[in-house]
């Protein structure tokens, strides 16, 4: 009986640490995208996480792992299109984000995604992120991206165990605002299609929530120049 208890306790501790690491990466991701989060949320330690989100049996309660965050003014500026004759006062194409950890261990498909989509739509969230322990079915992936006027993304917990942007070999990626993008193209007399490209499926692009048509500045270290920048068009 004691051996069984120890095994269960060790299992629960491993699971808790795994989810805690994912939870912290999610808040780092929100901060890097430009949402309003506090340093206490970003740097929550394991003991505090356990106190808030671990149930009586010692396992993390994913039903409690829900997040809402609003965009900062700086983020709104980066997501506001340039004025046009037909739209002289464009509004930011960003808003409150909703994130949910799915409590199901397996068999995650259209049923769970429909419930998530309903929450995003009813709550009038601009963006939703659905985080699961295991993969979701292809039909569920298609359904997730099918809400008109909403942006919904999916990550597995293992995708977020480590923050890839903190690795020393990953250069810093900075999203350009529409105005910065326009000035860049004018300066070099380029069309956006003439820039090198980055796929929306790229891990860093997914982490930052980049969208097709945006341009990202990539800052690398150089032994001779100190730092140098290159640009990528998101496709």
């Amino acid at each position: 009986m004691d051996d069984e208890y120890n095994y269960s306790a060790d299992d629960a501790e491993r699971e808790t640490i795994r989810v805690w690491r994912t939870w912290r990466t999610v808040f780092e991701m929100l901060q890097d995208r430009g949402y309003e989060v506090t340093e206490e949320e970003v740097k929550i330690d394991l003991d505090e996480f356990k106190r808030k989100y671990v149930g009586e049996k010692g396992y993390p309660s994913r039903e409690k792992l829900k997040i809402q965050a609003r965009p900062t003014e700086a983020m709104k500026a980066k997501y506001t299109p340039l004025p046009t004759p037909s739209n002289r006062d464009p509004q930011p194409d960003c808003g409150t984000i909703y994130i949910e950890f799915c409590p199901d261990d397996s068999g995650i498909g259209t049923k769970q995604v429909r419930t998530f989509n309903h929450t995003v739509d009813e709550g009038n969230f601009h963006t939703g992120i659905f985080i699961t322990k295991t993969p979701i079915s292809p039909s569920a992936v298609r359904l997730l991206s099918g809400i008109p006027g909403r942006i919904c993304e999916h990550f597995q917990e293992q995708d977020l165990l480590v923050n890839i942007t903190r690795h020393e070999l990953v250069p810093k990626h900075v999203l350009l605002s529409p105005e910065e993008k326009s000035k860049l193209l004018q300066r070099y007399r380029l069309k956006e299609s003439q820039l090198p490209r980055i796929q929306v499926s790229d891990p860093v692009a997914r982490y930052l929530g980049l969208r097709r048509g945006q341009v990202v500045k990539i800052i690398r270290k150089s032994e001779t120049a100190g730092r140098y920048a290159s640009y990528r068009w998101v496709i």
Side-chain angles (χ1 to χ4, degrees):
M1 185 71 177
D2 288 343
D3 288 345
E4 182 179 340
Y5 173 79
N6 288 335
Y7 175 79
S8 178
D10 289 345
D11 221 27
E13 181 71 6
R14 283 192 296 269
E15 180 78 357
T16 298
I17 292 172
R18 172 190 173 89
V19 177
W20 166 65
R21 289 172 59 192
T22 300
W23 182 254
R24 282 182 52 140
T25 301
V26 168
F27 274 98
E28 291 170 351
M29 181 172 71
L30 288 174
Q31 188 177 60
D32 290 341
R33 289 188 182 194
Y35 290 97
E36 294 179 355
V37 294
T38 66
E39 283 302 309
E40 289 76 14
E41 290 171 321
V42 174
K43 296 179 178 178
I44 185 171
D45 62 29
L46 181 58
D47 289 339
E48 180 70 6
F49 181 83
K50 287 179 178 179
R51 187 181 70 79
K52 288 184 174 180
Y53 304 114
V54 170
E56 293 180 0
K57 295 183 179 180
Y59 284 88
S61 177
R62 288 175 174 81
E63 291 87 351
K64 297 180 180 179
L65 301 182
K66 296 179 172 64
I67 304 166
Q68 296 181 29
R70 296 177 302 179
T72 60
E73 291 303 314
M75 183 180 182
K76 289 178 183 177
K78 289 200 171 186
Y79 281 84
T80 301
L82 293 174
T84 64
S86 60
N87 185 6
R88 298 184 182 278
D89 185 27
Q91 297 303 303
D93 188 15
C94 62
T96 304
I97 191 170
Y98 171 75
I99 299 175
E100 178 181 304
F101 280 64
C102 180
D104 298 340
D105 287 339
S106 60
I108 303 169
T110 56
K111 177 184 175 182
Q112 292 89 342
V113 168
R114 280 197 181 94
T115 302
F116 175 77
N117 283 356
H118 178 76
T119 301
V120 171
D121 207 29
E122 287 294 303
N124 198 29
F125 296 107
H126 181 278
T127 304
I129 297 180
F130 191 49
I131 299 175
T132 62
K133 189 174 180 180
T134 57
I136 63 176
S137 66
S139 56
V141 172
R142 290 192 296 272
L143 183 63
L144 191 63
S145 59
I147 313 179
R150 316 283 182 205
I151 296 173
C152 288
E153 308 166 40
H154 169 252
F155 288 88
Q156 280 186 242
E157 290 179 10
Q158 66 183 24
D159 298 333
L160 300 167
L161 275 174
V162 175
N163 186 337
I164 57 170
T165 68
R166 302 296 193 264
H167 194 284
E168 62 179 7
L169 296 180
V170 177
K172 185 174 180 61
H173 290 58
V174 179
L175 174 64
L176 299 188
S177 68
E179 184 177 1
E180 290 168 333
K181 172 185 170 181
S182 177
K183 288 180 178 178
L184 172 74
L185 297 177
Q186 288 176 15
R187 185 191 316 149
Y188 295 107
R189 298 180 181 178
L190 292 172
K191 296 179 181 178
E192 58 184 15
S193 58
Q194 293 175 298
L195 290 171
R197 302 178 181 191
I198 183 173
Q199 301 276 348
V200 289
S201 57
D202 177 272
V204 176
R206 292 188 68 222
Y207 174 88
L208 292 174
L210 300 182
R211 304 178 196 168
R212 287 182 174 86
Q214 293 178 324
V215 172
V216 63
K217 179 180 182 179
I218 302 176
I219 304 168
R220 291 183 169 86
K221 295 179 181 178
S222 167
E223 293 182 1
T224 55
R227 295 195 313 170
Y228 72 96
S230 59
Y231 300 88
R232 296 287 186 274
W233 181 44
V234 185
I235 62 169

